[in-house]
Every structure is written in structure tokens, then in C-alpha cells.
Amino acid sequence: METQRFSALIFHLVFCCIFSVNVHASGTYHGGAGAAEDPYRLLRAEHLIELGNHPEDYSSHFILMADIDMDPDLPGNQEFEQAGIAPNTSTSDTFEGIPFNGIFDGQEHRILNLTISEYPNTSYLGLFGKIGTDGVVQNLGVVNFDCTISNSYTLFYFGSLTGYNEGTLLNCYAGVNVDSGNYNTHQENLGGLVGANYGDIYNSHSKGRLHLNWGSNCGGLVGYNGNGFILHCSSSCSVYSASDSI
């Protein structure tokens, strides 16, 4: 009997420890449990930064509760050196991070003034570095996105919303300003909304400016569309590139 009690106590302690670790490992948001019926709620810039720092949450459900201003000059904010969510963890053009495979519903809100200063050989840039095959981003605007490409020789896959999409984008839009001031840089697959698309994009648009010096596959909406599907989308971006595939 004492042995049974001791075993039960050990099981209880181990279970509590595992549960505590899982709770601690998840990001701290404005409430919610990450499930479809109770998604994590994002209200401030710190919540979006928390999401980016917790890839174990990348398969969860999220909703935006208000516009979020990511201006790096505001207290607690930051200028990013890689994608805000699901960044590439290597310096190569092969994605080695964890893609976002959750559901992100902007609820018609916007993410404002996201700023990325691109560092040497960084790829998969955007709000999301890579959206996986199960990922869905909908009803979201990324406005006044600013990226200056100045220190890198190569940059692969850039888009305001995501550098690389294999999932579904629905009712999304972007306002972008991209400038590659260094004539030694080389860019491939850069778009106002999505860098490279192998998923589905519906009812989305982009506007703004992309000024690229040398590269390939540059577009106002999507830089490169593989076997992806695009329906009811548009772009009013001005695009300049010394490239033969714009």
C-alpha cells in the first residue's frame, strides 16, 4: 500500500512539473489558450514580440485585438534584424527555422511601422519569415513596413507579410518601403506582400515602393509564384530593379 502511495505521489509530481514547464514555455499574451475556441489574444507590441520568441506556439490560434504599432522608437519596441515571427535560423537561402503553421486572424486590424534592418546574408524577411502548409493569416494589414538593405551581398525571400508562403493568405494587405542602397547586393524573390508563393492568396493587395539594384524575381504583390494560387488580388507598388524578371 505504501509503495502504491509513493508511486502515485511520484506520478503526481512528475505530471505537475511537466505541466508547469509547458505553461512556462508558452508565450505571455493578453489572455487565451491558443485553441480555436479560445485563441491567444494580441493587444500590444510586447505580445507580438513574445509570439516571435516562442516557436512552440507557432501551431496555435491567434487574434489581433487592436492595431499594434511596432515603431522602434516607442518604449519597449525594437528594430528587427530578422523576421518578427518564424524567422530563418541560418544565414543560407535554405530555411532552417520553424515555419508558422497556426491561425492568425487580424480581425481587420493593422501592424504598423515594423522595421527591419537587414544584416549580412539574412533571408526570409517579413512579418513572418515562412508560413507553412497549415498556416493561415487572414484579415490583416501590415502598414508602413520599412526595410533598408545595405549590408548584405545576398537576400532571398522578402515580403512585407511573409518572405515565403506555403499556406493561405486571405484578406491581407501591405504598405511597403524597401530600398537597397548598396549596388553590391543581390536580391531574389522580393515582393510587396509575399516574396515567394507556393500557397494560396485571396482578396489581398499591396502598395508602396520597392527600389532594388540587382536581382531577379521582383514584383509589386509577389516576387515569385511557384505552384501557388492567386485570386482577386492587386498591387499599386512602384517597382524598380536592374533585373530582367519584374
Side-chain angles (χ1 to χ4, degrees):
M1 182 64 70
E2 291 297 323
T3 300
Q4 290 178 334
R5 287 200 188 106
F6 180 77
S7 299
L9 177 60
I10 292 298
F11 174 81
H12 177 73
L13 290 173
V14 170
F15 176 82
C16 289
C17 288
I18 292 173
F19 181 76
S20 298
V21 168
N22 286 338
V23 169
H24 178 72
S26 182
T28 301
Y29 310 112
H30 191 69
E37 63 277 7
D38 186 21
Y40 288 128
R41 295 185 280 278
L42 309 176
L43 182 62
R44 296 184 294 273
E46 63 192 75
H47 301 143
L48 205 64
I49 294 171
E50 275 287 288
L51 169 54
N53 291 333
H54 289 276
E56 67 274 10
D57 291 340
Y58 286 176
S59 296
S60 300
H61 293 248
F62 296 86
I63 56 173
L64 210 58
M65 303 299 293
D67 289 355
I68 294 181
D69 193 342
M70 302 299 294
D71 187 338
D73 292 329
L74 293 176
N77 285 8
Q78 65 187 56
E79 187 172 283
F80 292 85
E81 298 179 6
Q82 56 186 3
I85 303 167
N88 187 21
T89 57
S90 76
T91 57
S92 73
D93 60 342
T94 301
F95 188 82
E96 296 183 16
I98 298 176
F100 181 81
N101 276 303
I103 310 295
F104 191 107
D105 189 347
Q107 297 195 120
E108 308 298 339
H109 295 301
R110 303 170 298 168
I111 294 173
L112 307 164
N113 303 315
L114 180 66
T115 301
I116 293 180
S117 288
E118 198 270 314
Y119 278 65
N121 296 319
T122 303
S123 295
Y124 298 87
L125 294 181
L127 174 62
F128 296 86
K130 181 177 181 178
I131 297 174
T133 55
D134 294 328
V136 177
V137 179
Q138 60 189 13
N139 308 318
L140 178 65
V142 180
V143 179
N144 294 334
F145 184 103
D146 186 78
C147 181
T148 300
I149 306 164
S150 57
N151 298 321
S152 174
Y153 181 70
T154 58
L155 168 62
F156 298 92
Y157 308 116
F158 167 88
S160 296
L161 187 64
T162 182
Y164 197 103
N165 176 54
E166 292 180 330
T168 301
L169 310 181
L170 174 65
N171 297 329
C172 294
Y173 63 93
V176 60
N177 178 49
V178 176
D179 188 6
S180 59
N182 188 343
Y183 282 91
N184 293 320
T185 62
H186 174 77
Q187 305 95 28
E188 292 187 17
N189 307 317
L190 279 73
L193 186 74
V194 175
N197 179 57
Y198 291 85
D200 299 328
I201 307 176
Y202 302 98
N203 302 329
S204 298
H205 66 274
S206 65
K207 63 180 181 179
R209 172 181 175 271
L210 295 104
H211 189 282
L212 311 169
N213 288 312
W214 180 52
S216 60
N217 301 333
C218 306
L221 185 78
V222 172
Y224 177 80
N225 188 52
N227 57 347
F229 186 76
I230 301 173
L231 180 67
H232 296 158
C233 296
S234 65
S235 175
S236 59
C237 276
S238 63
V239 181
Y240 170 84
S241 177
S243 165
D244 59 358
S245 50
I246 303 176

